[in-house]
Amino acid sequence: MARTTPISKIRNIGIMAHIDAGKTTVMERMLYFAGKTHKLGETHEGSATMDFMVQERERGITIQSAATTLAWNEHLVTLIDTPGHVDFTVEVERSLRVLDGAVALFCAVGGVQPQSEKVWRQSEKYAVPKIAFVNKMDRVGANFFGVLEEIEKELGANTAAVVLPIGCSETFQGIMNLVSMKAIIFDEPEAGAFHEEDIAPSMLETAKTWRARLLEKCAEQDDALLEKFLETGDLPEEDIWRGLRQATIARKLIPVFCGTAFRNKGIQQLLDGIVSLLPAPNEIPPIISAANPDETVIELEPADDSPFSALAFKVVPNKHTGKLTYIRVYSGTLTSGQSVYNSTQGKTQRVGRILRMHANHSENLETAQTGDIVAIVGLAHTRTGDTICDENRPVHLTSIEFPTPVVSIAIAPSSPADNDKLSAALFKLTDEDPTFTVSFDQESSETIISGMGELHLEIIVDRLKREFGVAAAVGRPEVVYRETITQVVKGQYRHVKQSGGRGQFAHIHLRLEPLKAGEGFEFVNEVVGGRIPTQYIPAVKKGIVKAMLSGAYAGYPVVNVRAVLFDGSHHEVDSSDMAFEEAGRAAFKELSLKAGPLLLEPLMSVEVTTPEDYMGAAVGSICQRRGRIETMEEKSGQRVIHGLVPLSELFGYATVLRGLSQGRAGFAMQFEHYEAVPFFLTEQIIAARREANKIR
C-alpha cells in the first residue's frame, strides 16, 4: 500500500522532564495548535486529553505514557507524553527505547531537577537525539540563561540557543529568532497569535552575540559550513538549519527553545523545531538485530519493502479488546489479519486490528509501515520487550531493561469470594507494568506486591478497585531488601532419600563467590569426566535459583553471587533431576550462611529544596534518617540539599518536611543503588521479620 506520508516526513518524538515541568500542558498546546483538538485541556482542571486515567486527573500528574499523532507543516508527528514522577520511570524507559527523538523540558525557575537528570541519562542510554524547551518563562524567578548554564554543567550537554526570550516572568512577551534575526511578539489575549517585527535596538547586540555563538557551533559540525563561515562571517538561514539538524541528529548539539505553554507562547516555534531538527525513522543509525540471540548481528534497513520487524514496548489491558500491544515498526509492512512470529516467545500469532492511538481513543488502520507506532489487537502472548517479525526471516531486537522494585506490601481481597478476581487482575497488571511484581510468601502465606514506590503501589490498589472491581486490604509498605555474600566458600552436599522402591541420590561439590554490585547471578559448570551427567547440570542450577529467591540469612532474594559446580557423583538408578535440584537448593542454603552473608538496602538520592530559614532543620532531618549530605547549593533563591538516604527512613518524610518548614520545603527522590545495612539494624530487621511471620 502506498504511503500517504513519506518516511522522511515522519517524526516519533517523546516529551520528557521532571514532574511539574509542564509536559502535559505542552502536549495539550501542540494538539490544539495542530488542529487535533479544539479545546485547550488543562492539567489542573483534570481536563487534559493525554491524562485520561481517573487517577491522573484526580492527582494532576501523568502516570502512564500516552501516544497521539498530529500533522504539522506536512509532517506526521507521533508524540508520547511520559510521566515525570520517579515511581513511573518504566514508562519513560520503554518510550525512549522506541523513539527517534525527544524534547527535554525544563522549568525556567527549577532548571535541571533530579528527574531531569534521570530521564536525560535514560535518553543517552538509547542514543536519542534531543532538543530542549525552557518552559514557564512567565513565572517569577524565570532565568533562561541560568537554565542553559545548568544544562551544560549538570548534564554535560553542548547547547545552542535558537531563540532568546524577550523579557521574563510578568514581562515575557516574545522571543528573538536567532536564525532569522526577527522578534516574534505574542499577541494577547488570542491563544497562539503572534507577529514578527525587527529586533529592538536595545536587544540587538545581545542577539548578535548569541547568534555568533549559534553560527560557530553549527559550522563546527560541517567542514563545508565552516569554510563558508570563515570566508563570509555569516551563513544563510537554510545552511544554519541544515547544520543544526545534522549536529542534532549526530547528538553533538542540543538546540534550545523557550516559551510558556500555559500562556500559549512559543509552542508553534517548538513544533517547527521538532520537524526541522529531529530525525525521521530512516535517519537514525541502523537497528542492530540477530537471527538468533547468540548469532552474528545484522542490520535492519528501515524500508517498507524489507522483512517485517517490530518491538512490543507497552501492553495495556482493555475491557473492550482484551489487550492492546503497542509496537514500533522498524522495518517492513504489517497488514491487519496477518500472522506474525514472536521470536522472543517462539510463537506465531495473528494480528486482529491495527490502531492508531490518540490517548484513549483509536482509529482503525489497514496497514502499519516502517516508522509507525501503533497498537495491535490480537497479540495475546506478547509481552513488553518482545520482538515480532516475519516467520521466514526471524530476528531478535534488543529488549528493554527495567529497574528492580524497591517497595513491597502484602495484599489480600476484602472478601474470600474475590480471591480469583484479585489473582486475575494482578496478572493483567504485571503484564502491563514490568516494574510491578507479584509473589507469594510461603512462610506467611501472603500475596506480596512490589513496585517502585509508595505512590506506584497506591495507584495499583486504586486501579484494582476502579478498573477490576476488586476491593483489597493492604499492609504497610515494606522495603525490598536483598542478601549477598562477602566470602568465597566451598563445600559438598549429599542428598540421599530412600523410602521403598526407587530412591533419590545426588551428590555435588559447590563453590560460592561474591560478585560486584549489579552483576546479579552467574552459574559456572566445571564438572569434568562425567562425574555428574550433563542432563542433571541444569537441575542443579534450577535448585540454586530457587534457593536465591528466599535467602537463608533473612529470607530476602540473594544477588551478586557466582555459583561454581566443580565435582560430585551420581547413582545409575536413584539419580534424577528432582534429586539434583534439591541438592543444589540445599547446598546453596548451607554455604551462603558460611559465606559472610550481608543484608542490602535500597539507597535513594534525595534533593531537598528549602528556604534559607529552614535549611538547618532540613539538614538535621536527613542526618536523623541515616542520610549523608553530598552537596549543598543555592538555586533561584532557594537552598538545595543533595543527599543519600535509605529508603526505609523515607516513608512519610514529605509530611515531616512540610511540618519542619511550614509547608515551604519540598523534596524529590530516586533509587540510586543498594548498600549494606549496618549490623545493629540487620539484627533488628531479621528479628522483626521472623516475629511478623510468627504472628501471621
Side-chain angles (χ1 to χ4, degrees):
M1 182 178 175
R3 277 186 172 274
T4 54
T5 304
I7 194 170
S8 62
K9 292 197 172 183
I10 289 178
R11 301 288 183 270
N12 293 317
I13 307 302
I15 312 290
M16 61 183 203
H18 185 84
I19 192 169
D20 286 336
K23 296 179 303 303
T24 303
T25 305
V26 168
M27 288 276 287
E28 293 297 323
R29 272 41 181 188
M30 287 181 174
L31 294 172
Y32 179 77
F33 293 131
K36 187 77 175 185
T37 59
H38 303 288
K39 181 183 177 184
L40 289 171
E42 302 293 358
T43 305
H44 63 279
E45 293 176 357
S47 60
T49 304
M50 304 305 288
D51 285 348
F52 57 85
M53 289 177 64
V54 176
Q55 294 84 358
E56 292 177 316
R57 296 193 167 187
E58 287 179 349
R59 291 168 172 80
I61 62 171
T62 301
I63 293 170
Q64 283 194 347
S65 56
T68 189
T69 305
L70 58 84
W72 187 260
N73 287 354
E74 300 180 346
H75 288 71
L76 190 67
V77 183
T78 296
L79 286 163
I80 296 184
D81 181 21
T82 63
H85 198 287
V86 66
D87 281 18
F88 309 107
T89 186
V90 60
E91 298 292 337
V92 183
E93 189 80 23
R94 57 181 165 198
S95 297
L96 289 172
R97 168 63 180 83
V98 298
L99 292 171
D100 302 326
V103 177
L105 215 64
F106 300 93
C107 172
V109 179
V112 177
Q113 297 167 286
Q115 191 65 3
S116 309
E117 296 181 40
K118 173 74 173 176
V119 296
W120 191 276
R121 288 199 300 268
Q122 287 173 298
S123 70
E124 288 294 293
K125 180 169 72 172
Y126 295 115
V128 178
K130 294 174 286 293
I131 63 177
F133 183 74
V134 180
N135 193 27
K136 302 189 178 183
M137 284 300 303
D138 60 321
R139 290 269 303 275
V140 175
N143 185 349
F144 175 79
F145 301 102
V147 175
L148 276 187
E149 189 177 327
E150 280 189 43
I151 294 173
E152 298 216 340
K153 179 183 175 184
E154 304 292 336
L155 304 177
N158 183 17
T159 63
V162 180
V163 302
L164 295 182
I166 300 174
C168 64
S169 62
E170 68 275 2
T171 64
F172 178 67
Q173 58 178 304
I175 55 179
M176 292 179 277
N177 186 326
L178 298 180
V179 179
S180 65
M181 285 300 280
K182 289 288 184 181
I184 297 170
I185 306 299
F186 300 110
D187 302 320
E188 297 190 69
E190 187 180 348
F194 64 88
H195 69 273
E196 286 191 359
E197 59 183 47
D198 291 335
I199 296 173
S202 61
M203 294 181 285
L204 194 56
E205 282 306 311
T206 301
K208 286 180 178 178
T209 301
W210 281 89
R211 187 174 194 269
R213 294 184 192 180
L214 176 65
L215 295 183
E216 284 177 19
K217 291 191 175 186
C218 275
E220 284 172 0
Q221 315 304 325
D222 185 280
D223 290 341
L225 286 181
L226 182 60
E227 186 176 341
K228 185 184 290 189
F229 177 65
L230 292 174
E231 285 178 1
T232 65
D234 200 356
L235 290 172
E237 285 187 35
E238 59 270 20
D239 282 350
I240 299 174
W241 285 113
R242 181 166 57 84
L244 268 176
R245 178 178 178 77
Q246 184 179 320
T248 303
I249 294 174
R251 298 172 53 244
K252 294 178 179 178
L253 272 185
I254 306 293
V256 184
F257 297 79
C258 72
T260 167
F262 185 63
R263 304 293 178 192
N264 310 308
K265 298 176 180 179
I267 301 302
Q268 294 103 315
Q269 291 72 32
L270 175 60
L271 279 166
D272 290 341
I274 287 172
V275 299
S276 300
L277 301 176
L278 290 173
N282 61 346
E283 292 177 306
I284 58 173
I287 300 300
I288 302 299
S289 175
N292 286 306
D294 299 326
E295 290 188 9
T296 307
V297 297
I298 58 174
E299 290 185 357
L300 293 172
E301 184 182 353
D304 294 340
D305 55 0
S306 297
F308 172 70
S309 67
L311 185 75
F313 68 95
K314 182 179 173 74
V315 174
V316 180
N318 186 288
K319 60 183 177 183
H320 301 297
T321 61
K323 180 176 174 179
L324 284 178
T325 305
Y326 285 75
I327 66 167
R328 158 67 194 265
V329 181
Y330 282 103
S331 63
T333 302
L334 179 67
T335 306
S336 181
Q338 177 181 332
S339 291
V340 294
Y341 181 62
N342 184 323
S343 59
T344 309
Q345 306 289 344
K347 294 180 179 179
T348 300
Q349 301 171 70
R350 183 178 175 276
V351 174
R353 293 158 58 202
I354 303 173
L355 306 174
R356 174 162 283 148
M357 301 304 295
H358 175 52
N360 59 334
H361 301 289
S362 61
E363 167 196 352
N364 282 306
L365 299 176
E366 286 300 316
T367 60
Q369 297 164 305
T370 301
D372 284 345
I373 292 178
V374 295
I376 304 295
V377 178
L379 304 183
H381 301 292
T382 297
R383 306 196 68 180
T384 299
D386 286 359
T387 299
I388 59 172
C389 55
D390 185 334
E391 192 169 11
N392 297 319
R393 294 287 299 275
V395 294
H396 291 263
L397 299 172
T398 304
S399 191
I400 310 170
E401 296 178 6
F402 297 110
T404 305
V406 294
V407 176
S408 294
I409 57 173
I411 188 169
S414 297
S415 67
D418 283 343
N419 199 50
D420 290 342
K421 285 176 66 178
L422 177 64
S423 298
L426 290 176
F427 175 77
K428 288 180 179 179
L429 290 171
T430 56
D431 202 25
E432 172 186 337
D433 185 351
T435 60
F436 171 64
T437 62
V438 180
S439 59
F440 186 75
D441 191 316
Q442 297 288 349
E443 291 184 19
S444 63
S445 298
E446 287 183 326
T447 299
I448 307 296
I449 60 173
S450 304
M452 298 305 298
E454 290 179 89
L455 180 60
H456 186 193
L457 295 182
E458 180 186 324
I459 296 295
I460 291 288
V461 173
D462 191 48
R463 290 184 63 192
L464 284 172
K465 182 179 179 180
R466 298 195 193 203
E467 293 178 32
F468 300 95
V470 182
V474 298
R476 65 178 297 274
E478 292 185 8
V479 175
V480 179
Y481 293 98
R482 293 285 186 268
E483 296 179 28
T484 191
I485 62 172
T486 58
Q487 301 167 15
V488 177
V489 294
K490 62 181 178 179
Q492 60 176 307
Y493 184 86
R494 189 184 298 268
H495 176 68
V496 182
K497 191 173 182 181
Q498 194 72 44
S499 56
R502 182 176 176 180
Q504 293 182 29
F505 179 87
H507 175 217
I508 64 171
H509 287 252
L510 195 66
R511 183 171 70 250
L512 300 185
E513 303 170 358
L515 293 176
K516 292 179 181 178
E519 292 188 357
F521 169 65
E522 184 181 341
F523 178 79
V524 180
N525 174 25
E526 292 184 355
V527 176
V528 295
R531 300 276 295 169
I532 300 176
T534 306
Q535 67 265 31
Y536 296 140
I537 303 298
V540 177
K541 180 181 178 181
K542 185 178 179 182
I544 293 171
V545 170
K546 278 188 176 180
M548 291 178 67
L549 295 175
S550 178
Y553 184 46
Y556 294 104
V558 182
V559 296
N560 306 328
V561 175
R562 177 186 290 119
V564 182
L565 180 66
F566 62 92
D567 201 0
S569 61
H570 72 288
H571 189 278
E572 291 294 338
V573 177
D574 291 346
S575 288
S576 64
D577 283 345
M578 185 189 300
F580 274 96
E581 181 181 325
E582 177 57 26
R585 189 196 67 80
F588 185 87
K589 290 276 188 184
E590 280 190 8
L591 290 175
S592 61
L593 285 174
K594 301 174 183 176
L598 199 64
L599 196 63
L600 304 174
E601 64 181 343
L603 216 63
M604 310 300 285
S605 174
V606 173
E607 182 183 274
V608 175
T609 304
T610 177
E612 175 78 37
D613 294 348
Y614 305 103
M615 185 175 174
V619 169
S621 70
I622 291 176
C623 296
Q624 287 170 5
R625 284 164 171 73
R626 295 194 287 122
R628 55 180 184 262
I629 306 298
E630 298 285 295
T631 60
M632 290 187 284
E633 60 181 334
E634 186 176 349
K635 185 188 290 186
S636 304
Q638 297 273 86
R639 289 289 183 173
V640 182
I641 307 161
H642 300 270
L644 292 172
V645 186
L647 175 61
S648 60
E649 304 288 346
L650 288 171
F651 293 128
Y653 182 55
T655 304
V656 172
L657 189 61
R658 280 196 296 268
L660 290 173
S661 63
Q662 297 182 7
R664 296 176 63 192
F667 90 107
M669 68 176 182
Q670 63 186 44
F671 172 71
E672 192 68 27
H673 58 258
Y674 273 90
E675 198 167 280
V677 179
F679 180 74
F680 75 94
L681 280 177
T682 297
E683 295 298 305
Q684 293 178 20
I685 293 167
I686 294 174
R689 183 171 172 83
R690 287 172 181 162
E691 186 62 30
N693 287 333
K694 283 181 187 177
I695 294 171
R696 289 164 184 159

